[in-house]
């Protein structure tokens, strides 16, 4: 598979590059889950790359691979130009300072026994960043202030805080080691709607102030559009389409993306009346035994016999916009027509 | 989705008032009358253990040939034994030995067992299998038989008794620890700690151990009871504390021959064992209810049955 948009980017402005990544988990009796099965992507300095897909599409596993938190079956993971795929445990430690992670559910990702100050100070202690306790405490205060919490909250325990406050703590912890890249694994999925907006705005502000790079993993199409400079859509362990939010949301070139977007209601009543919903049948197939050829063919309204034979590469739709479909835009056009007939 | 960012949740929802876990546990224990009684008995035991020789009205080996086999009286509340020694003083002083054996042997079991369980549960796989199968081998022997075998190899005496009892109770701690570690290890906060670059050792010490403290506290309390009971049993068999040092088990053994004529020789040391074991059990059960209602360790019960 081709590296997404690698033609335009040079090595220096790529913070992380994943090439033909495969992560397979054995699940007993000889079965193997193909969680990630040939993913290539670049994360460029200062950008937000949105990774969107259903649960089970392998988006979180891809994020975990960037910190070497899962065993990489094949392919390479490069961070800051260095191939970290086979690094030893000792070498991986500084990697986990360069790349930090924010988890989905902050009430699960913070140790209930530790004060939030101690949780935030963990990366400092692990990497020996601020020697003395007083220095660390001061830095924790700065970090709390940075994420919009009062420094005197450092002595609280997670259960004494609201969900939004806890996620701010999770972000402060991720920032403690001054990372280049933040892997945001569904950072807003477990929060209330109003708090989601606050956390997204906080993330954007931090990105501006600190020059951070984000890999924003989410199943929320609207949130990904709002946050991202570029978007990659995943399905069953593969990237099926990638491009700018504009390209993908206005002009989806993969049947899966088109179907996903057609399910999102729009706020504008006039456009909502125009909306034609493409219905997908069945569930996402088991990653233990993914379909031959194109992985999406079992649910694709425009699938043809060929699709079971050939595994489509990403082709270029336009500059920076790629999709993996044998029949290119034709398939989407055909689906649209079908949907129109069905509802109109 | 554009909302101006309220630069803080400074004015967020009021946090729940701070109630420390310790405070909660205390409040719950105070409502539990049997647990309070148990704590009282344990307090008496600790005082006796610490100050026994100072409080005892007579010396432990103060032989009084004129007053053999005296029944309980004002001078000798628990009577005197076959050598005219004051039973009350001996029971009081023997509390120290019981407490010491209990603490040291459970300390050994805790240290070794928790380490083994922590490593086994954290690394799983081959390490887990090897360590836990070794524990299973130890576990397969009846408690006293194993303790007697260890004493037979190492020779009788206080230190051997402590080591033997410690070894015997190690597998229980290893099992309880491993089971808890297996579940804590899957928590997201452990993955989060790994993601910061923390070492295994740091994660075990800082994240895993504090989160499995509750079942370990309960197990410790229960094991103290059984350790004291085991010491009494070993001493009863003449394998523990050597006379003339007093120990409850040994006194029970000595009183055995005089049950009909001098029942107090056996009754009071027996009562002491009974009360202390009961107290540790009640407190252990109460702690289990308060700290972790789900964690029921059947191991101990099955083991000593």
């Amino acid at each position: 598979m081709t590296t997404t948009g690698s033609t335009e980017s040079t090595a220096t402005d790529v913070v992380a590059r994943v090439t033909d990544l495969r992560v397979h988990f054995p699940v007993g009796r000889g079965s193997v889950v193909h969680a990630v099965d040939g993913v290539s992507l670049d994360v460029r300095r200062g950008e937000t790359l949105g990774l969107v897909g259903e649960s089970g599409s392998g988006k979180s596993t891809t994020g975990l691979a960037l910190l070497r938190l899962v065993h990489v079956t094949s392919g390479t993971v490069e961070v800051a130009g260095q191939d970290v795929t086979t690094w030893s445990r000792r070498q991986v430690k500084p990697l986990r300072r360069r790349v930090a992670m924010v988890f989905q559910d902050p009430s699960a990702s913070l140790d209930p026994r530790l004060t939030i100050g101690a949780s935030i100070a963990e990366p400092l202690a692990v990497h020996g960043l601020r020697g003395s306790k007083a220095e660390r405490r001061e830095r924790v205060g700065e970090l709390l202030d940075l994420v919009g919490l009062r420094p005197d909250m450092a002595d609280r325990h997670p259960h004494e805080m609201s969900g939004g406050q806890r996620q701010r703590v999770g972000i402060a912890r991720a920032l403690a080691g001054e990372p280049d890249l933040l892997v945001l694994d569904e950072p807003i999925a477990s929060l209330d709607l109003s708090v989601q907006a606050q956390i997204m705005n906080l993330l954007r502000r931090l990105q501006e102030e600190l020059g951070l790079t984000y890999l924003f993993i989410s199943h929320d199409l609207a949130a990904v559009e709002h946050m991202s400079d570029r978007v990659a859509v995943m399905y069953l362990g593969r990237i099926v389409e990638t491009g700018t939010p504009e390209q993908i949301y206005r002009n989806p070139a993969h049947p899966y993306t088109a179907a996903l977007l057609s399910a999102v209601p729009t706020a504008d009543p006039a456009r909502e009346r125009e909306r034609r919903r493409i219905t997908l049948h069945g569930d996402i197939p088991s990653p233990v035994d993914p379909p031959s050829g194109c992985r999406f063919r079992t649910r694709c309204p425009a699938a043809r016999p060929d699709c079971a034979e050939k595994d489509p590469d990403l082709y270029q739709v336009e500059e920076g916009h790629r999709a993996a479909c044998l029949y290119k835009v034709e398939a989407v056009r055909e689906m649209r027509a079908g949907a129109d007939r069905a509802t109109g | 989705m554009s909302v101006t960012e309220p630069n803080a949740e400074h004015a967020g929802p009021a946090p729940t008032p701070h109630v420390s876990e310790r405070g909660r546990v205390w409040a719950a224990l105070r409502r539990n009358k049997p647990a309070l009684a148990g704590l009282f008995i344990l307090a008496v035991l600790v005082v006796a253990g610490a100050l026994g020789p100072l409080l005892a009205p007579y010396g432990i080996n103060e032989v009084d040939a004129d007053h053999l086999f005296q029944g309980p009286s004002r001078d000798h509340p628990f009577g005197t034994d076959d050598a005219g020694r004051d039973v009350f003083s001996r029971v009081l002083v023997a509390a120290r030995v019981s407490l010491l054996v209990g603490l040291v042997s459970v300390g050994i079991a805790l240290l070794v067992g928790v380490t083994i369980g922590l490593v086994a549960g954290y690394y799983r796989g081959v390490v887990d299998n090897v360590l836990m199968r070794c524990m299973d081998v130890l576990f397969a022997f009846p408690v006293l038989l194993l303790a007697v075998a260890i004493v037979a190899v190492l020779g009788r005496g206080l230190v051997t008794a402590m080591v033997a009892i410690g070894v015997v109770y190690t597998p229980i701690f290893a099992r309880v620890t491993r089971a808890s570690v297996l579940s804590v290890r899957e928590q997201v906060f452990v993955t989060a700690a790994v993601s910061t670059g923390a070492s295994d050792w740091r994660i075990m010490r800082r994240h895993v151990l504090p989160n499995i403290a509750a079942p370990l506290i309960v197990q410790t309390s229960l094991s103290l009871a059984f350790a004291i009971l085991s010491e009494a049993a070993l001493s009863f068999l003449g394998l523990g504390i050597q006379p003339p040092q007093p120990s409850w088990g040994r006194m029970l053994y000595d009183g055995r021959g005089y049950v009909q004529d001098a029942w107090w020789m056996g009754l009071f040391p027996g009562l002491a064992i009974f009360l202390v074991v009961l107290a540790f059990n009640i407190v252990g059960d109460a702690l289990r209810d308060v700290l972790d209602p789900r964690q029921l360790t059947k191991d101990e019960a099955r083991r000593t049955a």
Side-chain angles (χ1 to χ4, degrees):
Chain A
M1 226 175 228
T2 8
T3 306
T4 62
S6 62
T7 42
E8 307 98 273
S9 52
T10 59
T12 48
D13 63 0
V14 173
V15 178
R17 168 173 290 166
V18 167
T19 313
D20 200 23
L21 177 72
R22 279 164 216 272
V23 179
H24 298 173
F25 300 108
V27 285
R29 272 175 281 121
S31 303
V32 169
V33 170
H34 301 74
V36 178
D37 211 18
V39 162
S40 300
L41 55 82
D42 282 356
V43 191
R44 300 176 205 153
R45 189 163 303 282
E47 79 166 352
T48 299
L49 175 63
L51 207 52
V52 68
E54 289 169 86
S55 51
S57 61
K59 53 193 196 306
S60 291
T61 310
T62 306
L64 292 172
L66 284 176
L67 287 88
R68 286 278 313 280
L69 288 171
V70 286
H71 179 75
V72 174
T73 309
S74 72
T76 57
V77 179
E78 287 166 68
V79 172
Q82 287 176 291
D83 184 349
V84 304
T85 324
T86 56
W87 274 11
S88 68
R89 298 171 65 89
R90 199 169 45 80
Q91 287 172 301
V92 161
K93 192 177 158 188
L95 167 69
R96 290 176 182 163
R97 194 185 155 197
R98 293 261 77 87
V99 186
M101 187 139 179
V102 175
F103 294 84
Q104 170 172 354
D105 182 357
S107 39
S109 71
L110 296 171
D111 188 336
R113 300 262 161 188
L114 293 186
T115 63
I116 61 158
S119 280
I120 295 172
E122 178 130 60
L124 302 176
V126 165
H127 299 287
L129 294 180
R130 306 277 164 133
S132 74
K133 270 220 166 95
E135 280 177 304
R136 257 184 248 160
R137 189 160 173 92
E138 195 193 330
R139 173 72 176 143
V140 167
E142 287 168 21
L143 286 161
L144 282 169
D145 190 52
L146 192 63
V147 298
L149 294 172
R150 284 198 317 268
D152 65 314
M153 286 176 159
D155 295 322
R156 291 203 188 160
H157 283 83
H159 71 266
E160 298 170 83
M161 311 188 92
S162 69
Q165 288 173 326
R166 278 183 220 145
Q167 194 56 299
R168 285 171 194 264
V169 173
I171 293 168
R173 169 174 60 189
L175 293 175
E178 296 166 33
D180 300 328
L181 172 62
L182 278 195
V183 174
L184 307 163
D185 187 6
E186 301 266 16
I188 57 168
S190 61
L191 304 174
D192 292 342
L193 213 56
S194 61
V195 181
Q196 288 190 352
Q198 290 173 10
I199 295 296
M200 281 197 287
N201 289 319
L202 170 68
L203 287 169
R204 291 179 70 132
R205 176 170 65 78
L206 291 171
Q207 184 168 39
E208 259 170 54
E209 284 177 16
L210 305 172
L212 293 166
T213 306
Y214 290 157
L215 180 67
F216 184 80
I217 299 167
S218 179
H219 62 265
D220 181 338
L221 289 163
V224 168
E225 182 178 17
H226 178 69
M227 287 292 292
S228 309
D229 300 303
R230 287 191 306 133
V231 176
V233 182
M234 283 190 75
Y235 183 79
L236 214 58
R238 288 282 176 85
I239 290 178
V240 294
E241 183 163 4
T242 167
T244 63
E246 179 94 322
Q247 289 166 334
I248 286 186
Y249 285 76
R250 287 283 158 76
N251 182 28
H254 192 282
Y256 176 62
T257 320
L260 272 188
L261 290 170
S262 80
V264 180
T266 44
D268 178 354
R271 279 179 59 196
E272 176 66 13
R273 241 174 277 124
E274 295 285 301
R275 187 165 73 94
R276 293 286 173 266
R277 191 153 176 201
I278 303 163
T279 319
L280 292 184
H281 296 285
D283 286 324
I284 188 163
S286 161
V288 172
D289 186 21
S292 64
C294 173
R295 277 149 197 263
F296 186 56
R297 69 174 167 84
T298 53
R299 296 170 75 196
C300 181
R304 301 178 200 188
D306 271 14
C307 297
E309 312 287 326
K310 286 183 204 149
D311 190 357
D313 272 342
L314 288 167
Y315 75 93
Q316 179 149 339
V317 183
E318 55 181 338
E319 182 74 39
H321 185 188
R322 288 150 182 273
C325 179
L326 276 184
Y327 292 95
K328 309 200 169 164
V329 277
E330 222 179 294
V332 173
R333 212 174 287 139
E334 190 182 300
M335 274 170 52
R336 284 241 167 86
D340 279 343
R341 271 199 303 279
T343 52
Chain B
M1 274 259 196
S2 85
V3 174
T4 50
E5 188 191 345
N7 181 20
E9 280 170 41
H10 284 173
T16 48
H18 184 95
V19 181
S20 74
E21 172 136 359
R22 206 166 295 167
R24 188 180 63 82
V25 169
W26 245 125
L29 280 183
R30 273 215 307 263
R31 279 195 302 275
N32 186 336
K33 290 284 182 305
L36 273 188
L39 283 175
F40 176 74
I41 293 172
L42 296 184
V44 171
L45 174 71
V46 169
V47 171
L51 307 172
L54 298 176
L55 299 176
Y58 300 91
I60 49 167
N61 290 314
E62 220 175 286
V63 176
D64 184 352
D66 295 338
H67 297 93
L68 306 180
F69 301 117
Q70 297 264 305
S73 64
R74 192 184 300 191
D75 284 345
H76 301 285
F78 291 180
T80 62
D81 67 5
D82 53 344
R85 296 174 295 189
D86 181 46
V87 175
F88 177 69
S89 301
R90 289 176 65 81
V91 167
L92 203 60
V93 171
R96 176 177 290 181
V97 170
S98 283
L99 198 60
L100 190 70
V101 173
L103 289 177
V104 173
S105 57
V106 171
I108 293 171
L110 191 70
L111 201 71
V112 179
V114 168
T115 308
I116 290 174
L118 197 56
V119 170
Y122 190 84
Y123 289 105
R124 294 176 288 199
V126 182
V127 179
D128 182 21
N129 269 316
V130 171
L131 288 175
M132 293 319 289
R133 289 306 79 75
C134 292
M135 290 295 104
D136 285 349
V137 170
L138 279 185
F139 208 65
F141 292 101
V143 170
L144 265 182
L145 189 67
L146 184 57
V148 168
I150 293 171
V151 172
V153 172
L154 299 178
R156 54 185 66 180
L158 183 63
V159 176
T160 331
M162 293 192 291
V163 171
I165 296 169
V167 169
V168 162
Y169 286 98
T170 297
I172 295 172
F173 281 97
R175 281 197 170 187
V176 170
T177 306
R178 173 178 171 273
S180 310
V181 170
L182 283 178
S183 73
V184 169
R185 202 193 185 300
E186 298 305 317
Q187 303 278 322
V188 183
F189 64 77
V190 171
T191 312
V194 177
S195 83
T196 66
S199 64
D200 292 344
W201 165 236
R202 183 183 170 88
I203 291 167
M204 284 191 248
R205 187 170 46 85
R206 219 171 141 69
H207 296 287
V208 177
L209 213 46
N211 280 285
I212 62 168
L216 289 182
I217 290 170
V218 174
Q219 190 59 50
T220 302
S221 173
L222 294 175
S223 294
L224 278 169
F226 292 108
I228 287 174
L229 203 55
S230 300
E231 183 274 322
L234 282 181
S235 294
F236 185 88
L237 298 173
L239 299 170
I241 318 308
Q242 294 307 302
Q245 273 297 308
S247 85
W248 293 340
R250 184 72 200 188
M251 290 166 77
L252 204 56
Y253 176 81
D254 292 339
R256 190 185 45 111
Y258 308 104
V259 176
Q260 310 226 330
D261 313 311
W263 47 267
W264 52 88
M265 274 180 68
L267 178 73
F268 291 106
L271 211 55
I273 297 170
F274 169 73
L275 284 177
V276 167
V277 170
L278 185 71
F280 272 119
N281 266 306
I282 291 173
V283 172
D285 276 343
L287 281 173
R288 167 154 61 207
D289 292 344
V290 175
L291 292 174
D292 193 352
R294 291 159 300 148
Q295 184 86 30
L296 289 163
T297 52
K298 296 264 164 58
D299 289 349
E300 189 89 58
R302 199 184 65 221
R303 189 83 199 285
T304 40

